[in-house]
């Protein structure tokens, strides 16, 4: 068994890393994260999603406190709902970039209040 005594905090991407793309039952993953947290090891999911688009089974893990979302642009305290760090671009610039990207293959997403929408 691996000695985890020196590990204090784990950051992990979720889509395709921690969570399968298939959308299957996440109860085993949630249980594993809960066990990690109960051992005193913090866990912070990191994702390109907005906070509101993280699967509820993950957000409901007891002791999960923070999330890094919007491709690193937001750090949120789940307990209080407070945004601890926000590095987003102004709305007018986001609209110009989204309009520009329509000419290329891709799926531009925007985030507003922790939710993303596809344009």
């Amino acid at each position: 068994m691996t000695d985890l005594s020196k590990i204090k905090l784990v950051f992990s991407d979720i889509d395709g890393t921690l969570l399968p793309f298939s959308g299957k039952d996440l109860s085993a993953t949630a249980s594993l994260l809960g066990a990690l947290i109960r051992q005193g090891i913090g866990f912070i999911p990191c994702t390109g999603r907005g906070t509101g688009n993280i699967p509820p089974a993950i957000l409901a893990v007891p002791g999960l406190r923070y999330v890094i979302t919007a491709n690193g642009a937001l750090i949120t305290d789940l307990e209080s709902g407070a945004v601890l760090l926000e590095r987003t671009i102004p709305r007018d610039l986001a609209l110009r970039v989204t309009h520009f990207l329509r000419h290329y293959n891709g799926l531009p997403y925007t985030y507003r209040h922790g939710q993303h929408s596809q344009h």
Side-chain angles (χ1 to χ4, degrees):
M1 181 170 211
T2 304
D3 177 18
L4 302 178
S5 65
K6 294 185 181 194
I7 298 173
K8 302 296 180 203
L9 185 60
V10 173
F11 295 82
S12 177
D13 177 45
I14 59 174
D15 293 310
T17 304
L18 180 68
L19 306 179
F21 284 115
S22 65
K24 68 178 195 174
D25 180 18
L26 301 177
S27 59
T29 302
S31 178
L32 177 68
L33 296 178
L36 188 76
I37 292 168
R38 284 190 303 279
Q39 288 183 35
I41 301 171
F43 178 78
I44 299 179
C46 305
T47 181
R49 301 175 185 220
T51 306
N53 300 104
I54 296 174
I58 301 304
L59 290 176
V61 171
L64 184 66
R65 177 82 188 262
Y66 304 103
V67 292
I68 298 174
T69 60
N71 291 315
L74 295 171
I75 301 175
T76 304
D77 180 334
L78 295 172
E79 190 173 287
S80 68
V83 173
L84 303 176
L85 179 71
E86 182 174 11
R87 295 289 186 254
T88 56
I89 61 175
R91 185 177 190 275
D92 61 324
L93 178 58
L95 290 172
R96 290 195 334 250
V97 169
T98 300
H99 179 73
F100 174 80
L101 291 175
R102 287 187 180 148
H103 303 291
Y104 298 91
N105 280 337
L107 299 170
Y109 286 88
T110 58
Y111 297 88
R112 184 174 181 187
H113 305 297
Q115 297 285 334
H116 76 258
S117 60
Q118 185 177 352
H119 294 275

